């Protein structure tokens, strides 16, 4: 049944790839999703999470009915839809038609696989009269920094029809009582899947350090309190958070990614801004890293006669996989694609994912789907301008989504 859908699903994936849209701008993508759900006969609500989110739902007794089994709760399957502000360099016929935007993280593939799962499950309903339990299809915007998952939850996507009674528009059918999501993974061979119990991806925060000094002519440095020199020492010193403040068996990343100062070669500027990200796995490590970042910035700046202010913004929490949900996934995956194609991810990855918001509310499992083409040892990584989702991986992702929904 999945094989019969693949030619058209590849067409959809490549169409989405050619028309990337950034977070909360996914109007065209949302319309494609709605049209495909409509053709499949899957009820849905749209205009969610800022206007582009979509929630489809199949009840136990069929696409539109309400069976007694809905009381047990629905299985939630999630896909993110947004692209990235990157200029594509693949040179493919389906390459981005929008300058400065591309699907460099595979969300075009994620969206297409969830469309495929909805199609297949809707056909099974027509053939067999229903599903073992309800299933909800969560198409969400703005994973790339916009916390679209959080907005979906605030809209009531996990609450089912009860969301409407609470004045929210984001629920449909039975409430979601467990969630599964996936990510294409260019570090695993094609057709191999993996996950782990506990933390899979890190909490990801961002910060700005504003350094203020006194400017002067570049020929008179003694008249300045040089914010650039202070900022340079801060950049170097904050690396001791990892090397000297963190337990070697724990994990933290402090990456400085932007340093902005000045407007002329012969002027010492009065201020500088340092920006970056902190990634952690434990709440206590996050608290320590934030405190040390502020202390180092302020005291280092003071040593150069300057001042520093930290603007620290919490981002995504840790993507924490529920132990029971992981056991369910592993059992289903081994039965579906074979023991040899299911691996345990030995260590957490320090990237962030807003699927983490779902895992804070309901038991959830996030897993990765191998993309490396057969006969190759590697491929372009996520967020690189030459990345392209491997269409050959989609059938495996669709089947796993369907099997998880049909338990």
């Amino acid at each position: 049944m999945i094989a019969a859908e693949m030619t058209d699903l590849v067409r959809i994936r490549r169409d989405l790839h050619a028309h990337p849209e950034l977070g909360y701008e996914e109007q065209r993508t949302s319309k494609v999703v709605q049209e495909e759900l409509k053709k499949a006969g899957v009820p849905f609500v749209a205009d969610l999470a800022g206007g582009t989110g979509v929630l489809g739902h199949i009840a136990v007794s069929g696409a539109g009915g309400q069976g007694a089994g809905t009381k047990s709760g629905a299985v939630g399957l999630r896909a993110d839809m947004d692209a990235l502000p990157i200029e594509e360099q693949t040179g493919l016929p389906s390459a981005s038609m929008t300058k400065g935007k591309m699907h460099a993280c595979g969300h075009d593939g994620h969206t297409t696989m969830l469309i495929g799962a909805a199609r297949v499950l809707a056909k099974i309903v027509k053939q067999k009269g229903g599903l073992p339990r309800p299933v909800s299809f969560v198409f969400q915007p703005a994973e790339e920094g916009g916390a679209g998952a959080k907005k979906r939850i605030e809209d009531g996507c996990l609450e089912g029809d009860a969301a409407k009674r609470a004045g929210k528009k984001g629920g449909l059918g039975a409430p979601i009582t467990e969630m599964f999501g996936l990510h294409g993974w260019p570090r695993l061979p094609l057709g191999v899947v993996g996950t782990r119990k506990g933390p899979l991806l890190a909490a990801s925060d961002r910060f700005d350090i504003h350094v203020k000094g006194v400017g002067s002519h570049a020929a008179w440095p003694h008249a300045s309190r040089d914010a650039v020199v202070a900022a340079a020492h801060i950049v170097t010193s904050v690396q001791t958070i990892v090397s000297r403040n963190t337990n070697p068996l724990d994990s933290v990343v402090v990456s400085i990614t932007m340093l902005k100062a000045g407007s002329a070669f012969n002027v010492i500027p009065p201020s500088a801004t340092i920006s970056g990200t902190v990634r952690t796995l434990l709440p206590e490590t996050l608290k320590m890293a934030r405190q040390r970042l502020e202390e180092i910035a302020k005291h280092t700046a003071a040593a150069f006669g300057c001042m520093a202010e930290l603007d620290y913004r919490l981002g995504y929490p840790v993507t924490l996989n529920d132990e029971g949900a992981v056991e369910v996934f592993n059992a289903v995956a081994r039965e579906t694609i074979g023991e040899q194609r299911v691996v345990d991810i030995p260590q957490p990855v320090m990237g962030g994912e807003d699927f983490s918001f779902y895992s804070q509310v309901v038991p959830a499992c996030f897993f990765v789907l191998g993309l490396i083409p057969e006969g190759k040892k590697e491929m372009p990584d996520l967020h690189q301008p030459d990345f392209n989702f491997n269409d050959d991986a989609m059938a495996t992702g669709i089947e796993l989504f369907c099997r998880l929904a049909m338990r």
Side-chain angles (χ1 to χ4, degrees), residues 306-328:
C306 298
M307 298 176 60
E309 295 180 357
L310 174 66
D311 178 13
Y312 194 97
R313 300 182 295 284
L314 294 174
Y316 297 165
V318 174
T319 302
L320 196 64
N321 276 341
D322 177 77
E323 183 173 332
V326 171
E327 290 176 354
V328 166

Side-chain angles (χ1 to χ4, degrees), residues 180-199:
F180 294 93
L182 63 75
H183 205 296
W185 210 242
R187 299 183 181 186
L188 283 178
L190 180 68
V192 173
V193 298
T195 190
R196 72 187 310 273
K197 296 176 182 178

Side-chain angles (χ1 to χ4, degrees), residues 175-227:
I176 295 173
T177 53
E178 62 177 346
M179 286 283 289
F180 294 93
L182 63 75
H183 205 296
W185 210 242
R187 299 183 181 186
L188 283 178
L190 180 68
V192 173
V193 298
T195 190
R196 72 187 310 273
K197 296 176 182 178
L200 177 65
L201 292 137
S204 57
D205 302 333
R206 60 183 66 181
F207 64 85
D208 295 312
I209 299 171
H210 302 287
V211 183
K212 299 178 181 178
V214 175
S216 75
H217 193 293
W220 306 322
H222 57 286
S224 75
R225 295 201 294 272
D226 196 332

Side-chain angles (χ1 to χ4, degrees), residues 37-381:
L37 293 178
K38 189 182 301 181
K39 287 192 294 186
V42 176
F44 65 88
V45 289
D47 301 323
L48 307 175
T52 58
V54 182
L55 177 68
H57 185 78
I58 297 178
V60 169
S61 61
Q66 292 292 330
T70 58
K71 295 179 181 179
S72 65
V75 179
L77 306 176
R78 174 269 201 166
D80 38 16
M81 304 187 297
D82 55 323
L84 283 157
I86 296 175
E87 186 71 27
E88 182 160 353
Q89 297 177 9
T90 64
L92 295 169
S94 59
S96 172
M97 298 173 64
T98 306
K99 185 173 179 59
K101 300 177 185 179
M102 73 167 288
H103 272 293
C105 202
H107 297 186
D108 49 340
H110 305 166
T111 299
T112 304
M113 284 186 283
L114 194 53
I115 289 172
R119 281 187 180 186
V120 171
L121 291 171
K123 287 186 175 182
I124 290 173
V125 166
K126 291 176 182 177
Q127 291 181 0
K128 298 185 177 181
L131 297 175
R133 59 186 294 195
V135 56
S136 292
F137 307 93
V138 180
F139 295 89
Q140 69 145 86
E143 189 280 325
E144 298 289 355
K150 186 178 180 182
K151 282 200 173 185
R152 290 306 315 266
I153 293 169
E154 291 169 350
D155 271 351
C157 81
L158 301 178
E159 302 172 33
D161 287 334
K164 299 175 185 176
R165 296 191 289 273
K168 305 173 185 178
K169 63 178 182 178
L172 183 64
I176 295 173
T177 53
E178 62 177 346
M179 286 283 289
F180 294 93
L182 63 75
H183 205 296
W185 210 242
R187 299 183 181 186
L188 283 178
L190 180 68
V192 173
V193 298
T195 190
R196 72 187 310 273
K197 296 176 182 178
L200 177 65
L201 292 137
S204 57
D205 302 333
R206 60 183 66 181
F207 64 85
D208 295 312
I209 299 171
H210 302 287
V211 183
K212 299 178 181 178
V214 175
S216 75
H217 193 293
W220 306 322
H222 57 286
S224 75
R225 295 201 294 272
D226 196 332
V228 173
V229 172
H233 281 265
I234 292 171
V235 170
T236 302
S237 298
V238 296
Q239 298 309 312
T240 61
I241 296 172
V242 176
S243 66
R244 290 296 178 269
N245 300 136
T246 305
N247 187 321
L249 299 180
D250 191 10
S251 296
V252 63
V253 171
V254 180
S255 289
I256 304 299
T257 55
M258 291 185 283
L259 178 58
K260 300 177 181 178
S263 58
F265 82 97
N266 59 351
V267 177
I268 294 175
S271 63
T273 299
I274 305 163
S275 302
T277 182
V278 174
R279 309 294 174 104
T280 55
L281 296 173
L282 300 174
E284 55 268 30
T285 307
L286 168 58
K287 181 179 179 181
M288 177 277 295
R290 180 175 181 172
Q291 179 180 332
R292 289 298 294 139
L293 191 63
E294 183 167 27
E295 290 171 348
I296 291 171
K298 285 187 174 181
H299 292 300
T300 302
F304 293 91
C306 298
M307 298 176 60
E309 295 180 357
L310 174 66
D311 178 13
Y312 194 97
R313 300 182 295 284
L314 294 174
Y316 297 165
V318 174
T319 302
L320 196 64
N321 276 341
D322 177 77
E323 183 173 332
V326 171
E327 290 176 354
V328 166
F329 169 77
N330 282 335
V332 169
R334 287 170 183 143
E335 182 179 352
T336 302
I337 64 176
E339 184 93 25
Q340 71 282 2
R341 292 171 61 189
V342 182
V343 301
D344 182 63
I345 305 298
Q347 295 176 323
V349 178
M350 299 307 286
E353 238 292 342
D354 77 347
F355 186 85
S356 55
F357 289 107
Y358 303 116
S359 68
Q360 290 186 320
V361 184
V362 297
C365 174
F366 195 66
F367 62 97
V368 295
L369 172 68
L371 299 179
I372 300 175
E374 293 182 6
K376 293 188 177 182
K377 295 182 179 181
E378 60 182 13
M379 65 177 289
D381 213 338

